[in-house]
Amino acid sequence: IYAYMNHFYSSRKIEIACKRDINFMYLLEGAPAPDHATIARFRSLHFAPAAKNILAQMTRLLAANREISFKNIFIDGTKMEAVSNKYTFVWKKSVTKNQQKLMDKIPVLFQEIEASFGIKIVYANQIKQYHLKKLRKQLKRLQMQKGITFVYGIGKRKSLLQKKIEQLDEYIHRLKKYNQYLHIAGSRNSFSKTDHDATFMRMKEDAMKNGQLKPAYNIQFGIDSEYVVWITAGSQPTDTTTMIPFLEGLKQSVSHLYPNVVADSGYESEENYLYLEKNVQAAYIKPSNYEQRKTRKYRSDIGRRENMIYDAENDCYLCSNQKNIVKIGTRKSKSKTGYISEKTCYACEDCKGCPLKSKCIKENNSKLPLEERSKHFEVSKIFQQKREEASNRIQTPKGKMLRMNRSIQSEGAFGEVKADMNFRIFLCRGTQNILAETILLGLAHNVNKLHNKIQCGRCGSYLHALKTA
């Protein structure tokens, strides 16, 4: 922890510091300096399994000393690059496409072998890997019976049997590789060959200015009174699906529920709103369209549902041309996490000959001309209700103060880790190991923050006051 406080992250640099730095020698208490392999082994084998428990202990210790309020938690995330080459990518969509091409070629090979050697493999609707291995065994048995010797090199002519066996070997190898890739990817769209837990994401640091994807992890910090109270690491490229696992882990390890959860618009979803409501936690989440709604262009757009008059009694909307947009049914959609939301579908009764159609209906990929299209949209009523409640909540004096503190505390914590501590890329591989690295950063940040608060006489201060003009 002391090494991370002083920006030593490499095990080799920590080893050198233990041999040369008087402060490290003092902490060793006369013991011989450990070598870099011992330090790296301890970090990955011994510290990593206990890292979450140690962070929870520090959180409880800070709370016992009244340094943490246990009232407001500020959640934010950032993407940190994995120690993997940016060209080691495997795309799930590309693997699936190539696998399907291979599966189309295999029946043709089976037919050719049956026509040439009379060997037939019986399979059901789908050819599997063991069918290929079974066919290979029969071809190798035929080779032994006929005494055919395989030849290699320039000027040698391969027999038909050798060609088919080599082609079959290639198909078996490719099918095995594709199945392995799909198993590693799981629900993700990509992964790195040298760090299977890393997912390719779009980073803020883009040196080439071309939006290049890099292998990275999504790190989530929970901040309370400027201290890091909880940390999670995942492969999700967006923050929306990280909130519930984050709060569940915090509840299990620290055994505390924060009354107020403050986050930015990246965490807004119907599932998150309902989870916080179920746990009696107030959601101070900024709606994703909060800033956009303030613009003149947004308020003057007659095609937006928010700018139409809603008739709650008849459950319909009234457009700018005084036409009713009525309910035509409902549709259920399932998210990646398995949450099912219900959306109400609306459509205009009569859009023919409307002079405002070009302003009301936006261009899309529909092949129908504008004259034949009609206005329709979908609304999740539960989501809209929770969004309005959160929007009203963040506009209160308390909501404004918490939003300001979120910008200062959560963004400030990542600023200190990335800029002041100059930690930009992980040194270990695997989710558990990089989480251990991040927790070491969090522990070092907390010790530094406690020291600074003691020096400045700010102990026991939880929030920054909102300045009023």
Side-chain angles (χ1 to χ4, degrees):
I1 293 172
Y2 183 71
Y4 272 65
M5 288 167 59
N6 289 275
H7 310 168
F8 294 136
Y9 311 120
S10 167
S11 57
R12 294 180 183 273
K13 290 184 178 180
I14 297 174
E15 177 192 5
I16 294 172
C18 289
K19 293 178 178 178
R20 299 180 181 178
D21 194 312
I22 190 66
N23 298 322
F24 284 83
M25 294 178 185
Y26 172 78
L27 291 175
L28 287 171
E29 297 180 344
D35 62 4
H36 66 89
T38 303
I39 296 170
R41 195 182 306 116
F42 172 81
R43 182 169 53 189
S44 60
L45 297 181
H46 300 286
F47 176 77
K52 289 184 177 180
N53 186 27
I54 293 173
L55 179 61
Q57 288 182 32
M58 174 172 273
T59 300
R60 289 193 289 267
L61 179 65
L62 290 170
N65 287 274
R66 298 183 179 180
E67 283 297 312
I68 289 178
S69 67
F70 269 152
K71 292 181 180 179
N72 311 301
I73 184 167
F74 307 100
I75 302 176
D76 201 7
T78 190
K79 296 168 187 172
M80 284 195 182
E81 191 174 349
V83 58
S84 273
N85 190 292
K86 57 187 176 183
Y87 299 111
T88 60
F89 48 78
V90 176
W91 303 107
K92 183 178 180 181
K93 188 175 181 180
S94 178
V95 172
T96 306
K97 183 178 179 181
N98 291 331
Q99 185 189 47
Q100 186 58 48
K101 288 182 178 179
L102 177 63
M103 296 305 292
D104 294 338
K105 293 179 181 178
I106 291 175
V108 178
L109 177 63
F110 275 36
Q111 292 173 7
E112 292 175 355
I113 292 175
E114 183 182 355
S116 302
F117 307 105
I119 299 174
K120 184 176 182 180
I121 299 296
V122 179
Y123 56 89
N125 299 328
Q126 185 180 8
I127 297 176
K128 296 185 178 180
Q129 193 169 335
Y130 72 85
H131 292 124
L132 299 175
K133 291 182 178 180
K134 185 178 179 181
L135 178 60
R136 187 182 186 280
K137 285 183 180 179
Q138 296 193 22
L139 290 176
K140 292 295 286 185
R141 191 180 298 117
L142 182 63
Q143 178 197 357
M144 296 292 292
Q145 292 173 358
K146 293 187 176 182
I148 299 175
T149 304
F150 287 177
V151 295
Y152 303 94
I154 300 175
K156 303 292 179 64
R157 184 178 294 277
K158 295 180 180 180
S159 63
L160 179 62
L161 181 63
Q162 181 179 356
K163 290 179 181 179
K164 295 303 178 185
I165 289 179
E166 288 180 353
Q167 188 178 359
L168 191 60
D169 286 340
E170 181 195 353
Y171 285 1
I172 292 172
H173 172 72
R174 287 173 58 189
L175 185 60
K176 183 179 179 181
K177 181 178 70 172
Y178 293 153
N179 291 336
Q180 183 184 11
Y181 281 173
L182 292 175
H183 175 72
I184 293 171
S187 60
R188 297 178 294 165
N189 295 325
S190 62
F191 69 91
S192 171
K193 292 179 183 177
T194 51
D195 185 358
H196 292 167
D197 291 341
T199 308
F200 278 78
M201 306 178 187
R202 184 163 281 107
M203 311 287 288
K204 290 181 180 178
E205 297 84 6
D206 188 8
M208 300 300 291
K209 305 294 182 184
N210 59 354
Q212 187 179 35
L213 303 179
K214 294 181 181 179
Y217 290 91
N218 192 348
I219 306 300
Q220 300 292 316
F221 273 15
I223 311 294
D224 181 5
S225 308
E226 301 180 40
Y227 296 101
V228 180
V229 296
W230 194 242
I231 297 173
T232 59
S235 58
Q236 305 95 326
T238 58
D239 295 332
T240 311
T241 57
T242 61
M243 175 175 278
I244 295 177
F246 180 91
L247 293 175
E248 281 293 321
L250 177 63
K251 182 172 65 174
Q252 292 174 7
S253 299
V254 185
S255 302
H256 185 81
L257 275 176
Y258 276 85
N260 302 318
V261 177
V262 190
D264 62 8
S265 58
Y267 296 87
E268 188 192 27
S269 73
E270 182 180 327
E271 184 180 8
N272 290 344
Y273 280 138
L274 294 179
Y275 173 83
L276 294 175
E277 185 181 40
K278 180 182 177 182
N279 287 278
V280 198
Q281 294 175 289
Y284 289 87
I285 301 176
K286 183 180 178 181
S288 57
N289 64 347
Y290 181 74
E291 298 296 336
Q292 191 182 10
R293 287 193 304 185
K294 298 178 182 178
T295 61
R296 183 185 301 172
K297 181 181 179 181
Y298 184 94
R299 295 196 301 267
S300 61
D301 189 350
I302 62 173
R304 290 194 175 274
R305 175 190 57 80
E306 294 83 353
N307 296 328
M308 299 179 185
I309 301 172
Y310 178 64
D311 184 359
E313 185 178 350
N314 298 316
D315 193 13
C316 66
Y317 289 85
L318 189 66
C319 72
S320 298
N321 198 29
Q322 306 303 311
K323 297 288 182 69
N324 287 327
I325 302 178
V326 297
K327 175 183 174 181
I328 58 172
T330 58
R331 182 180 71 87
K332 291 185 178 181
S333 62
K334 189 175 182 180
S335 65
K336 290 184 178 180
T337 59
Y339 175 77
I340 299 175
S341 64
E342 185 178 281
K343 296 183 179 180
T344 307
C345 305
Y346 294 90
C348 185
E349 291 179 326
D350 183 19
C351 271
K352 293 182 179 179
C354 179
L356 303 176
K357 183 178 282 191
S358 60
K359 295 180 180 180
C360 183
I361 300 178
K362 304 300 179 184
E363 293 292 334
N364 56 18
N365 297 326
S366 175
K367 296 181 180 180
L368 293 174
L370 183 62
E371 294 76 15
E372 298 180 16
R373 289 159 56 191
S374 60
K375 183 68 177 180
H376 61 88
F377 52 79
E378 298 176 353
V379 181
S380 174
K381 294 184 178 180
I382 296 177
F383 175 68
Q384 293 302 325
Q385 178 189 350
K386 301 305 174 187
R387 169 181 270 188
E388 286 301 319
E389 292 175 1
S391 180
N392 295 331
R393 198 177 291 122
I394 65 173
Q395 294 182 64
T396 61
K398 180 181 178 180
K400 292 178 181 178
M401 182 180 66
L402 291 178
R403 280 173 53 206
M404 180 201 68
N405 276 272
R406 189 208 69 82
S407 300
I408 295 173
Q409 297 194 26
S410 61
E411 301 286 355
F414 282 125
E416 289 185 24
V417 168
K418 285 188 168 184
D420 296 346
M421 300 174 74
N422 197 28
F423 189 89
R424 297 280 180 169
I425 187 170
F426 290 110
L427 303 177
C428 301
R429 290 181 172 89
T431 304
Q432 187 181 44
N433 290 334
I434 67 101
L435 180 59
E437 277 193 89
T438 314
I439 288 177
L440 280 171
L441 286 170
L443 297 174
H445 169 271
N446 287 348
V447 176
N448 282 331
K449 181 61 67 175
L450 178 61
H451 171 73
N452 292 335
K453 281 194 169 186
I454 292 173
Q455 295 297 314
C456 299
R458 293 182 55 242
C459 291
S461 60
Y462 305 133
L463 295 172
H464 295 273
L466 185 65
K467 294 182 180 179
T468 55

